[in-house]
């Protein structure tokens, strides 16, 4: 086989066609295929970077929101107990004041006067707690 290749090379050298292959339909089709493959690779890379940039920005926004939510959760967990107790007492006093107001309308006049005093005391206590 090696001898045949040498003969073909020798014939080409005599004709002056050394190192050039004829441009036929097969050669131009393969060149076109390679060019289309390169264009497809470039288009895919462009689409990838566009999609990555779009979703990368969204992921950064979600990460920022999650970080903010985690910071708020840590802050709530580290809140002083006195503050939490103050809020609980204030809410309980508000509920009791509301119930006393409802009872005041349902009872006799003698009880209404007493409940009015209790309601005033509860409101003053709640104002002191809220300070």
């Amino acid at each position: 086989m090696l001898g045949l290749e040498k003969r073909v090379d020798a014939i080409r050298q005599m004709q002056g066609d050394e190192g050039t292959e004829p441009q036929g339909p097969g050669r131009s089709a393969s060149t076109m295929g390679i060019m289309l493959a390169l264009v497809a690779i470039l288009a895919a890379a462009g689409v990838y970077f566009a999609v990555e940039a779009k979703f990368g920005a969204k992921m950064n926004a979600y990460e920022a929101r999650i970080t903010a939510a985690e910071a708020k959760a840590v802050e709530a967990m580290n809140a002083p107990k006195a503050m939490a107790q103050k809020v609980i007492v204030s809410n309980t006093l508000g509920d009791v004041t509301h119930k006393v107001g409802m009872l005041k309308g349902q009872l006799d006049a003698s009880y209404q006067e007493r409940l009015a005093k209790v309601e005033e005391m509860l409101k003053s206590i709640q104002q002191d707690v809220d300070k």
Side-chain angles (χ1 to χ4, degrees), residues 8 11 13 17 19 32-33 37 40 44 49 52 55 60 72 81 91 99 110:
V8 170
I11 293 171
Q13 283 178 357
D17 292 341
M32 183 63 92
F49 287 118
E52 194 274 332
F55 287 115
N60 290 337
K72 286 182 182 179
K81 289 183 180 180
N91 287 340
K99 288 179 183 177
S110 63

Side-chain angles (χ1 to χ4, degrees), residues 27-102:
R27 174 81 174 167
S28 64
S30 66
T31 304
M32 183 63 92
I34 291 172
M35 291 299 183
L36 286 176
L38 289 175
V39 169
I41 289 171
L42 290 175
V47 168
Y48 169 76
F49 287 118
V51 169
E52 194 274 332
K54 179 181 175 182
F55 287 115
K58 285 186 178 182
M59 288 303 294
N60 290 337
Y62 286 136
E63 288 174 3
R65 290 173 66 187
I66 288 172
T67 304
E70 287 175 349
K72 286 182 182 179
V74 167
E75 182 181 326
M77 289 172 57
N78 294 334
K81 289 183 180 180
M83 182 179 167
Q85 289 173 345
K86 191 175 185 180
V87 170
I88 291 170
V89 168
S90 177
N91 287 340
T92 305
L93 285 172
D95 291 343
V96 171
T97 305
H98 178 70
K99 288 179 183 177
V100 167
M102 287 176 45

